[in-house]
């Protein structure tokens, strides 16, 4: 069984792509598929993807004939995903080695439709990681609760976390049953997807 489908839209990602893909290949959770969408890149992105595909059959390479943007690429990946859960990663992101295992187990333990997790921001100019500051007291309380609904946190549901998709794990069936799609626009294409999912989920864990 494929436990998680990792979906990565990529446009001219050669500078960071290998580090990103290595971090996924080396995950302690092996039952994953890695769906890479080459969004008509003009650099060596496709060549890099083909190398990973040849040595790891968990890689699935899809391509857009023209540059359609991250929203359309993520939708294409979602249409081809087979995992119980899906996660959307960008080509300049990396996962800690135990991350997929931990969020998968967390979602399974609480039968959650969405698992939100913390991230650090890497500041390239000073070569340092910086903690992404969520409200510490609220985040700690939610983590200890285990599972909660959007109604329980309605006063700060849209303010507690950013509206990006790559720090959240989604149950694929939940997404498909509610016909939640990414907007195919040039920027902020994940805002609607994330907030729609958060607002209609019944079980969220952090």
């Amino acid at each position: 069984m494929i436990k998680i489908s990792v979906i990565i839209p990529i446009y001219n990602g050669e500078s960071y792509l290998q580090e990103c893909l290595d971090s996924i290949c080396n995950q302690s959770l092996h039952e994953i598929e890695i769906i890479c969408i080459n969004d008509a890149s003009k650099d060596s992105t496709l060549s890099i993807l083909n190398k990973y595909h040849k040595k790891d059959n968990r890689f699935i390479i899809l391509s857009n004939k023209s540059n359609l943007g991250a929203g359309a690429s993520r939708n294409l990946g979602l249409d081809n995903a087979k995992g119980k859960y899906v996660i959307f990663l960008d080509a300049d992101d990396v996962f800690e080695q135990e991350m997929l295992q931990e969020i998968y187990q967390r979602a399974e333990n609480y039968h959650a439709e969405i698992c939100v997790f913390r991230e650090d921001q890497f500041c390239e100019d000073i070569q340092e990681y910086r903690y992404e500051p969520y409200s510490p007291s609220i985040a700690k309380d939610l983590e200890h609760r285990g599972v909660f609904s959007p109604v329980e946190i309605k006063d700060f549901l849209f303010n507690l976390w950013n509206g990006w998709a790559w720090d959240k794990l989604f149950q694929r069936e939940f997404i498909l049953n509610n016909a939640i799609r990414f907007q195919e626009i040039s920027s902020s294409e994940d805002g609607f997807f994330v907030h729609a999912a958060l607002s209609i989920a019944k079980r969220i864990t952090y």
Side-chain angles (χ1 to χ4, degrees), residues 140-153:
K140 187 175 181 179
D141 172 64
L142 293 179
E143 186 172 4
H144 288 163
R145 284 194 210 184
V147 68
F148 49 90
S149 75
V151 175
E152 294 174 62
I153 58 170

Side-chain angles (χ1 to χ4, degrees), residues 90-109:
D90 289 336
D92 59 350
D93 298 330
V94 294
F95 284 168
E96 293 185 0
Q97 190 172 17
E98 302 294 325
M99 198 208 73
L100 289 181
Q101 179 65 54
E102 290 188 15
I103 61 175
Y104 171 80
Q105 200 57 59
R106 180 84 176 185
E108 287 286 281
N109 288 346

